[in-house]
Amino acid sequence: MITREEAWNLLTEYNKDPFHLRHALTVEGAMRHFARTLGYGEEEEFWGIVGLLHDLDFEQFPDQHCTKSQEIMRERGLDERLIRATASHGYGITVDIKPEHEMEKVLFACDELTGLIGACALVRPSKSVQDMEVKSVKKKFKQPSFAAGCHREVISQGAEMLGWTLEDLIAKTIEAMRVDEAKINEECAKFAG
């Protein structure tokens, strides 16, 4: 199994944009939180690495997203479970690998949602998720022009896969993002400056 440090080094080999690195760290933190709260605490490191590497190929190969990353990871001899899990978040968009494990469904659901919640935080006076409410996110969710790159249908489909309401998914993802927000901001300050 790849270590967290090795995963970060691989990610930064293919990604330099601070926005993409922040997103990777955010999804990593959310996935770790979900591993703990959903009863997969013994797999927290794995869930986190899946979150960290899920967009490995997006910056350099956007037209081959979730396909090129499989190739890169296989060339490095990485575990097929990791390859499948990271690729499954592109289900129905770039690949036909359907999320099956609860972890894959969580990644599919919260990848786009962390982006939407992050965009919502940026327009708040606090610039933080610490005081974010579900109703604020839901309001922006209904505005297609806000964070237009966040695919609302994927978020809704992800909630459905998990058997959660959209409100539950938003609430749980906000909570997940609150946990590591300060640590992520500190980490991002290192490579943004």
Side-chain angles (χ1 to χ4, degrees):
M1 184 62 197
I2 189 171
T3 66
R4 199 281 179 183
E5 182 180 359
E6 291 166 340
W8 176 255
N9 291 338
L10 177 60
L11 177 72
T12 55
E13 183 179 329
Y14 288 91
N15 293 267
K16 307 295 182 199
D17 186 323
F19 176 83
H20 292 146
L21 296 175
R22 172 180 282 280
H23 177 65
L25 290 168
T26 300
V27 177
E28 174 193 20
M31 292 298 291
R32 286 177 177 278
H33 176 79
F34 278 115
R36 291 188 303 270
T37 59
L38 295 175
Y40 297 93
E42 72 284 353
E43 292 200 333
E44 180 182 336
E45 183 79 0
F46 178 70
W47 282 47
I49 289 171
V50 167
L52 191 65
L53 293 178
H54 80 284
D55 279 346
L56 174 64
D57 59 5
F58 188 75
E59 188 173 315
Q60 289 188 20
F61 309 99
D63 295 337
Q64 299 175 62
H65 183 41
C66 296
T67 302
K68 187 68 174 177
S69 61
Q70 293 178 66
E71 181 184 312
I72 293 166
M73 289 189 220
R74 282 194 182 102
E75 286 172 359
R76 305 289 173 113
L78 299 187
D79 186 86
E80 282 296 322
R81 187 169 164 236
L82 173 65
I83 295 168
R84 180 199 152 68
T86 56
S88 71
H89 86 279
Y91 176 66
I93 303 165
T94 58
V95 295
D96 62 357
I97 301 168
K98 185 175 183 180
E100 293 175 357
H101 187 278
E102 190 169 22
M103 179 262 300
E104 295 170 345
K105 293 174 183 179
V106 168
L107 177 63
F108 183 87
C110 80
D111 173 34
E112 293 290 323
L113 184 53
T114 58
L116 180 65
I117 293 169
C120 290
L122 290 176
V123 299
R124 297 180 69 74
S126 67
K127 306 272 191 246
S128 171
V129 295
Q130 298 304 320
D131 59 353
M132 181 81 62
E133 294 180 10
V134 172
K135 66 180 180 180
S136 300
V137 177
K138 194 105 186 274
K139 183 178 177 184
K140 295 297 188 186
F141 183 89
K142 293 177 181 177
Q143 295 175 356
S145 61
F146 181 81
C150 292
H151 301 281
R152 272 80 167 162
E153 64 280 357
V154 170
I155 296 169
S156 296
Q157 187 181 0
E160 189 176 309
M161 278 182 191
L162 288 162
W164 300 350
T165 66
L166 179 60
E167 291 79 10
D168 283 345
L169 176 61
I170 292 170
K172 290 175 182 187
T173 305
I174 289 170
E175 182 59 35
M177 291 174 69
R178 284 178 179 154
V179 174
D180 287 332
E181 184 179 43
K183 185 172 100 177
I184 290 167
N185 286 340
E186 186 179 308
E187 188 68 28
C188 291
K190 294 176 190 173
F191 56 73

